[in-house]
Amino acid sequence: MPLLQVQAALARVYFDLRTREALRRGDRKLADEFGLDPAEFENVRRVVVDQAAGVELFARTLARKRDERIHPYYPMVRAYLGTEKWQTLLAGYRERHPLPELRPAVDAVAFGQFLREATSAADDGVLLDLLMYEKTKAEVLDGPDSRQLVADAHVGTPDNVCPRLVPPARVRMFRHRISDLLDWVHRGASSPPNVPEIPTSVVFFRGAGDAGVCVSEVGLWLGSVLTRANGRMTLSDLTASLKDTAPDASVVDRLSEVLIELSRAGVVDLDPKGHHS
Amino acid sequence: MRDPRIALGVGLGYREELNDQLLAHVGDVDFLEIVGDQCFELSMRSRVVPWARKLPTVCHFLGLSLGTDEPLDERYVAAVEEVLQVVRPHWFSDHLAMTRVNDVDLGHLAPVNFTDETVEIVGRKAAAVQARCGLPLLLENITYHFALTGASMTEWELLTRIVETADCGILLDLTNLYVNAHNNLYDPYEFLRSIPLDRVVQVHIAGTTQRDGVLIDSHAHPVPDAVFEYLQYLCRHSQVSAVLLERDRDMPPFEDLSREMERARSILRDNRPDPVAFNAGT
């Protein structure tokens, strides 16, 4: 039996309290789950049983380190929730997802999803905005940066090319202006924010190289254009879908022209239909 | 082993929060140890590289996971190579540990089993990394609060056999030795007498704390006297090139760090062994 299976079993033991408890109870079904023969399973079980204090100490260290890797992705959510609630939610996340993702950003995104579900009942607009803002940044950070993209297909007609931002951007709608929420955090975030509700579109994209995540607030209409410019809708369909909501019809008439111009500058990729699907 | 022997003296682990103090006390530090993983980020690299031009440096990595029964992570090794080319350290190091398995990143150093199989796996992977990077690789002993079942040798036998198999050097963490000897009830001097001291190139020293009777390498407290005693023993019996003070949290005034470095420096200076032929090329 390869050592790798034993090591994978140990990794789960270190992270998962329920697995450790099951091993202490002598639950032999785990041997099949781990893919271990009886002797190897017994070796793993004995580590947990005979050296419980040391294993628990190590498990706490791993949990703390995992938490520390998630913390930097959610400074505003942490400030808003307060330490105690934040820690409780993190513990809940770890219980639900015992094994961390390989990359911290992916773990942070999964935690954000858990947090969204765990706090949805509260319908707290500020919390939801902060969470969406920081979770989206984590998603973009883990995505491809512009160096990995090849703008190879600037061909076709409005009916068969699909505009897509380069690098791929994410557009999110918020109830509040993010700049207001950021100001509140920078002021110390010590009390619930008194921030007016101003619906806002925010564009997130990965900067080139090591630039991290770039964030820009845009108007709602431009936000809707960028949302649709995701490589799935043809240029013709995009302009048609925007006609009713455009602030000025001439803007839509010029949209194709502008996007083609932007594609020459490498800001928008005009891919043949289905190229990215 | 390619001989990395050059007397670097006593240094400090580079931490961003020390940047200003380092500038003010640069004469107190003989060399810097840079955590290579931090240099994967270009922004951090740009802050670190000027230091590498100012002081001698060595690079310390966290994620090779040499103890895992998996092939080396090619992307990680490529990133290590890139950092080494930019920083140009005298040598680089990583741990005798498992840090990831099956796409799970433990985020910390997990102990390996003391078996022939571990010797084969770590020895093979360490030799491959060293050859590929073209610099001496040192392996560091870690702390462990439990031992895996089924060991067929001691910790020091494992370390010895691995560095001889890989033909690489040792980064001996004396604080980890102190912690392990206390927690696992063995004689630290038996450890020191048993490993090939001619392969010890660099030493780590750091502070500890105690929790429920268990010693922990805190990297946040003063270095215990016992660790300085081990250093004295080591310096009398081998040619240690570099002693590195590790401090990660609860940074004291820089003068306190300077005092600990000076204590190590005086041990290094006053306890030199008679020159011994180092086994270069063996």
Side-chain angles (χ1 to χ4, degrees):
Chain A
M1 196 77 66
L3 177 63
L4 180 61
Q5 272 165 282
V6 175
Q7 293 180 324
L10 285 167
R12 190 163 138 201
V13 163
Y14 299 151
F15 279 110
D16 189 2
L17 176 62
R18 285 185 185 158
T19 300
R20 297 197 295 278
E21 287 171 347
L23 284 169
R24 285 181 190 126
R25 286 196 307 271
D27 184 350
R28 306 230 161 231
K29 282 185 295 198
L30 283 171
D32 291 337
E33 261 184 62
F34 291 153
L36 301 180
D37 65 32
E40 287 165 337
F41 177 75
E42 185 56 18
N43 277 345
V44 171
R45 198 186 71 80
R46 278 182 51 204
V47 172
V48 179
V49 172
D50 297 348
Q51 302 183 74
V55 170
E56 291 306 321
L57 176 65
F58 188 66
R60 284 196 296 278
T61 302
L62 291 193
R64 179 174 51 79
K65 296 241 173 184
R66 185 180 180 189
D67 291 356
E68 285 171 359
R69 296 201 301 175
I70 291 176
H71 285 179
Y73 292 95
Y74 293 99
M76 296 205 296
V77 171
R78 277 168 61 205
Y80 187 76
L81 289 173
T83 305
E84 197 178 331
K85 193 159 187 189
W86 168 259
Q87 294 293 356
T88 304
L89 286 162
L90 260 179
Y93 170 67
R94 278 191 268 105
E95 199 178 328
R96 176 92 66 87
H97 301 270
L99 290 178
E101 303 289 343
L102 183 58
R103 296 189 302 280
V106 181
D107 213 22
V109 170
F111 172 64
Q113 188 57 39
F114 170 84
L115 213 51
R116 176 79 180 77
E117 290 160 17
T119 58
S120 60
D123 193 30
D124 179 335
V126 170
L127 175 59
L128 292 176
D129 274 3
L130 293 175
L131 183 54
M132 183 157 64
Y133 176 75
E134 294 186 324
K135 177 171 170 280
T136 306
K137 283 179 75 176
E139 287 168 359
V140 172
L141 198 60
D142 193 57
D145 67 16
S146 55
R147 289 177 301 180
Q148 292 166 281
L149 294 167
V150 181
D152 57 352
H154 296 184
V155 293
T157 68
D159 288 331
N160 69 6
V161 297
C162 302
R164 186 180 65 125
L165 290 170
V166 179
R170 285 166 205 257
V171 185
R172 299 280 187 263
M173 298 284 293
F174 293 89
R175 292 192 207 177
H176 306 83
R177 291 185 57 194
I178 291 301
S179 51
D180 291 342
L181 295 176
L182 286 170
D183 282 348
W184 166 70
V185 171
H186 289 147
R187 286 199 306 270
S190 56
S191 58
N194 183 17
V195 180
E197 287 204 8
I198 303 174
T200 312
S201 280
V202 177
V203 185
F204 300 77
F205 59 94
R206 174 101 181 256
D210 205 27
V213 180
C214 303
V215 178
S216 180
E217 287 186 5
V218 297
L220 290 175
W221 188 76
L222 181 55
S224 71
V225 175
L226 298 176
T227 303
R228 290 169 169 85
N230 59 6
R232 293 199 180 88
M233 185 182 272
T234 66
L235 191 48
S236 295
D237 290 342
L238 174 64
T239 50
S241 74
L242 293 167
K243 278 210 163 85
D244 294 340
T245 56
D248 180 337
S250 66
V251 173
V252 179
D253 292 340
R254 291 200 55 227
L255 189 61
S256 294
E257 193 185 319
V258 170
L259 287 174
I260 288 165
E261 198 61 36
L262 287 173
S263 81
R264 290 193 185 116
V267 178
V268 171
D269 202 6
L270 294 180
D271 287 335
K273 200 171 182 179
H275 181 76
H276 285 287
S277 58
Chain B
M1 180 173 73
R2 184 177 146 189
D3 186 0
R5 206 55 54 124
I6 174 173
L8 292 187
V10 180
L12 203 54
Y14 177 80
R15 306 288 180 266
E16 268 213 291
E17 58 266 43
L18 283 175
N19 202 69
D20 292 345
Q21 303 215 58
L22 272 172
L23 280 171
H25 298 87
V26 73
D28 293 356
V29 182
D30 300 330
F31 76 99
L32 286 177
E33 182 185 81
I34 289 166
V35 176
D37 303 64
Q38 292 179 346
C39 296
F40 295 162
E41 258 183 56
L42 294 177
S43 54
M44 183 63 181
R45 194 184 298 177
S46 66
R47 292 194 288 281
V48 165
V49 168
W51 278 108
R53 303 291 170 262
K54 209 184 292 277
L55 285 170
T57 53
V58 298
C59 267
H60 192 45
F61 291 90
L62 307 168
L64 280 170
S65 200
L66 296 170
T68 310
D69 184 19
E70 285 179 312
L72 288 161
D73 177 348
E74 281 301 314
R75 286 181 62 180
Y76 187 87
V77 176
V80 168
E81 275 186 294
E82 195 180 319
V83 168
L84 295 178
Q85 280 163 13
V86 174
V87 176
R88 302 204 295 263
H90 287 277
W91 56 77
F92 69 114
S93 56
D94 204 321
H95 304 82
L96 177 44
M98 175 176 86
T99 54
R100 58 183 281 175
V101 56
N102 263 1
D103 280 347
V104 172
D105 184 355
L106 302 183
H108 194 53
L109 309 163
V112 293
N113 209 345
F114 303 160
T115 61
D116 292 334
E117 195 173 14
T118 302
V119 171
E120 191 278 319
I121 291 166
V122 180
R124 171 169 38 83
K125 290 170 77 174
V129 173
Q130 182 170 245
R132 184 161 157 185
C133 293
L135 272 179
L137 168 67
L138 315 184
L139 292 185
E140 181 181 2
N141 55 313
I142 67 165
T143 59
Y144 54 96
H145 299 290
F146 60 92
L148 299 179
T149 313
S152 59
M153 64 186 83
T154 61
E155 181 190 351
W156 46 94
E157 285 169 331
L158 181 85
L159 179 63
T160 300
R161 286 186 52 195
I162 286 174
V163 294
E164 286 174 350
T165 301
D167 194 17
C168 64
I170 296 174
L171 193 179
L172 185 58
D173 191 315
L174 292 177
T175 297
N176 289 353
L177 172 60
Y178 174 62
V179 165
N180 287 340
H182 177 274
N183 292 338
N184 300 295
L185 306 174
Y186 65 71
D187 176 4
Y189 289 97
E190 185 178 359
F191 183 111
L192 289 172
R193 282 192 299 270
S194 304
I195 61 170
L197 292 181
D198 61 337
R199 288 187 183 270
V200 177
V201 177
Q202 186 187 341
V203 165
H204 274 175
I205 57 174
T208 61
T209 189
Q210 215 172 87
R211 223 173 281 156
D212 301 327
V214 177
L215 262 185
I216 293 167
D217 58 325
S218 68
H219 293 198
H221 296 84
V223 179
D225 286 342
V227 169
F228 284 112
E229 287 162 19
Y230 300 168
L231 180 63
Q232 195 162 18
Y233 175 92
L234 194 61
C235 290
R236 282 182 185 153
H237 293 88
S238 70
Q239 290 186 312
V240 174
S241 297
V243 179
L244 192 282
L245 174 62
E246 293 184 295
R247 185 81 182 214
D248 296 331
R249 287 177 293 281
D250 300 338
M251 289 293 178
F254 201 87
E255 289 69 23
D256 292 2
L257 299 177
S258 292
R259 207 172 299 123
E260 289 195 298
M261 283 191 284
E262 188 47 43
R263 185 172 175 189
R265 197 173 284 118
S266 67
I267 291 172
L268 204 53
R269 192 177 48 232
D270 299 342
N271 294 278
R272 282 283 177 203
D274 292 333
V276 292
F278 182 66
N279 280 339
T282 58

